[in-house]
Amino acid sequence: MVERFQSIRKNIETENDIINQIVAGLNKDADKKEEEYKKASRYGKINQYREKATYMQKRDKAILFFQRLLRGRAIQNTMFEGKEKRLALIQELLDVSDTKVLKLEEKKAFLKQNHEEIAKDAILEAIQGDVITKTLDILAKELIRFKHEKKISAYVKLAEEERRNREIVE
């Protein structure tokens, strides 16, 4: 889990670094164009400001595109890592889905073998459950008996103490 968060953090840091480099490059271009705008005539400035506005819009669109691209790539990486972790389960599902290709006799043999394995597992789990149940039952009864013995020994001590006190008083 920690590795997953670290990989996501690295992807986000990489994304931010790339975006910062792109923005820095675009800002340099914008600064150059801004100097050109200042040198232009009054009529030319209006058209150049329009050009600058469209340039800034294009830059913003490019930045958003890169952000979406990098975030998508980060999600693809996490999906790939998840796929790699669950490769055994995916392989098992593919094996089960390949039973359609088998002939009828092979399919019956495969299903019979699978059923026998499931039955064996169920029997073993039932036996284990029975043993565990009996063991826990015995332990619970032993605990109750032990608690009763403690109470009885406490009552016996109190009775002996009271008997001694009465003997002393007589």
Side-chain angles (χ1 to χ4, degrees):
M1 185 67 118
V2 174
E3 294 172 359
R4 181 172 176 240
F5 288 126
Q6 289 175 347
S7 68
I8 290 171
R9 187 181 327 133
K10 286 178 184 176
N11 288 339
I12 291 172
E13 289 172 359
T14 305
E15 174 185 326
N16 288 336
D17 292 341
I18 292 171
I19 290 170
N20 289 336
Q21 290 174 359
I22 292 169
V23 169
L26 292 174
N27 284 338
K28 288 178 185 176
D29 292 341
D31 292 340
K32 288 179 184 176
K33 285 198 174 197
E34 193 171 328
E35 290 174 13
E36 291 174 9
Y37 297 147
K38 289 179 183 177
K39 293 177 184 176
S41 66
R42 184 172 181 207
Y43 180 74
K45 281 187 178 181
I46 293 171
N47 288 334
Q48 288 176 351
Y49 284 130
R50 287 183 188 155
E51 288 176 12
K52 182 179 180 183
T54 58
Y55 173 76
M56 297 297 259
Q57 289 173 348
K58 288 180 182 177
R59 184 188 75 171
D60 292 343
K61 285 182 182 179
I63 290 171
L64 290 175
F65 174 74
F66 278 119
Q67 284 179 337
R68 282 185 283 167
L69 183 73
L70 292 172
R71 285 188 183 126
R73 187 62 184 163
I75 291 170
Q76 282 180 340
N77 286 342
T78 55
M79 288 175 62
F80 181 75
E81 290 171 4
K83 184 191 114 190
E84 290 297 317
K85 287 180 185 175
R86 275 100 179 150
L87 201 57
L89 179 60
I90 292 170
Q91 187 60 41
E92 181 180 342
L93 290 172
L94 290 173
D95 289 343
V96 170
S97 69
D98 284 344
T99 58
K100 295 176 185 175
V101 177
L102 298 175
K103 294 179 183 176
L104 183 62
E105 295 172 1
E106 292 174 347
K107 188 174 181 180
K108 285 181 181 179
F110 178 77
L111 292 175
K112 184 178 179 182
Q113 181 184 5
N114 192 15
H115 178 70
E116 289 174 358
E117 289 177 10
I118 291 172
K120 288 177 186 177
D121 290 342
I123 291 169
L124 287 175
E125 289 175 2
I127 292 170
Q128 289 174 348
D130 190 39
V131 169
I132 291 171
T133 302
K134 288 179 181 178
T135 304
L136 289 175
D137 186 45
I138 290 170
L139 291 173
K141 289 178 182 177
E142 194 68 27
L143 181 64
I144 291 170
R145 187 184 62 77
F146 182 69
K147 286 181 180 178
H148 286 305
E149 284 181 8
K150 269 189 160 181
K151 284 182 184 178
I152 291 171
S153 66
Y155 287 136
V156 168
K157 286 181 183 179
L158 285 173
E160 286 178 3
E161 212 174 293
E162 192 174 319
R163 184 179 52 101
R164 279 191 217 126
N165 289 338
R166 285 182 186 170
E167 285 179 1
I168 292 173
V169 170
E170 288 177 4

